[in-house]
Amino acid sequence: MTILWLKALHVSFMVAWFAGIFYLPRLFVNHAESDEPKVIDQLKGMEKRLLYFVTPFAFLTVGFGIAIIYQYGYQWFANAVWLHIKVTLVLILIIYHGYCFKLVKMFQQDKNQRSGKFYRIFNEVPVLILFAVIILAYLKPF
C-alpha cells in the first residue's frame, strides 16, 4: 500500500472518529439536563451505540498512523518533533475516548452527578486537540 493510500485512510477514519467524539458529549449534555424518563432511556441507547460505533474508527486511525510512521522509517520519526507532540495529543484523545466509556456506564446506571455545563466544556477538549493536530501535521512547525 502506498503512503498516499495510508494517509487517505488515516484521515478518513480520523474524521469518522472525531464525528462521534464531537457528538457523544452533546448527548451527555442532553442527558444531564433531561428529567423525562423516555428521553433518558433513548439517550442511554444512543450514547452506547455511538461509542461502540466510533471505537473501531479510533483503532483504524491509530493503526494507519502507525503504518505511516513505519513507512517513513525510524530516522524520520526520531527527527520529527512535531510528530512526537501529535502522538502525545493522540494519546490524550485515546484517554478521553476511554473516559467516555466510563461516562456512558455512569449514565446507564443513572449515577451522573455532573451538569450539562460540565459536558459542554468536556466537549471542547477534542476540538482543541483536533486543531492542534491539524496544525502540527500540515505546518510541521517543529
Side-chain angles (χ1 to χ4, degrees):
M1 187 174 291
T2 69
I3 194 78
L4 292 177
W5 272 106
L6 292 173
K7 288 180 177 183
L9 290 168
H10 176 67
V11 170
S12 296
F13 288 118
M14 183 270 305
V15 169
W17 180 21
F18 270 92
I21 285 299
F22 287 160
Y23 187 55
L24 184 60
R26 296 304 308 163
L27 294 175
F28 293 159
V29 169
N30 294 331
H31 196 151
E33 294 179 349
S34 182
D35 294 325
E36 185 64 40
K38 283 187 177 184
V39 171
I40 290 170
D41 285 343
Q42 184 175 15
L43 288 168
K44 285 179 181 181
M46 291 172 69
E47 292 158 356
K48 186 175 179 179
R49 286 189 303 271
L50 179 60
L51 184 56
Y52 281 94
F53 178 74
V54 300
T55 296
F57 299 140
F59 282 105
L60 289 164
T61 300
V62 170
F64 282 110
I66 291 168
I68 292 167
I69 292 169
Y70 179 79
Q71 285 290 321
Y72 277 110
Y74 175 78
Q75 193 60 46
W76 173 80
F77 178 74
N79 293 327
V81 174
W82 66 270
L83 185 57
H84 297 188
I85 299 167
K86 178 185 172 187
V87 168
T88 301
L89 291 170
V90 171
L91 289 172
I92 292 168
L93 188 64
I94 290 167
I95 292 166
Y96 178 96
H97 188 113
Y99 185 63
C100 286
F101 277 96
K102 180 179 179 178
L103 294 174
V104 165
K105 184 177 181 181
M106 195 170 48
F107 276 115
Q108 295 288 316
Q109 297 172 348
D110 298 317
K111 293 183 178 178
N112 176 54
Q113 298 293 318
R114 300 191 185 204
S115 68
K117 183 177 180 179
F118 169 84
Y119 293 109
R120 282 185 181 87
I121 295 167
F122 181 73
N123 191 38
E124 300 306 318
V125 172
V127 173
L128 297 173
I129 290 174
L130 178 63
F131 287 158
V133 164
I134 288 172
I135 289 167
L136 288 164
Y138 285 91
L139 301 180
K140 298 173 180 54
F142 305 102

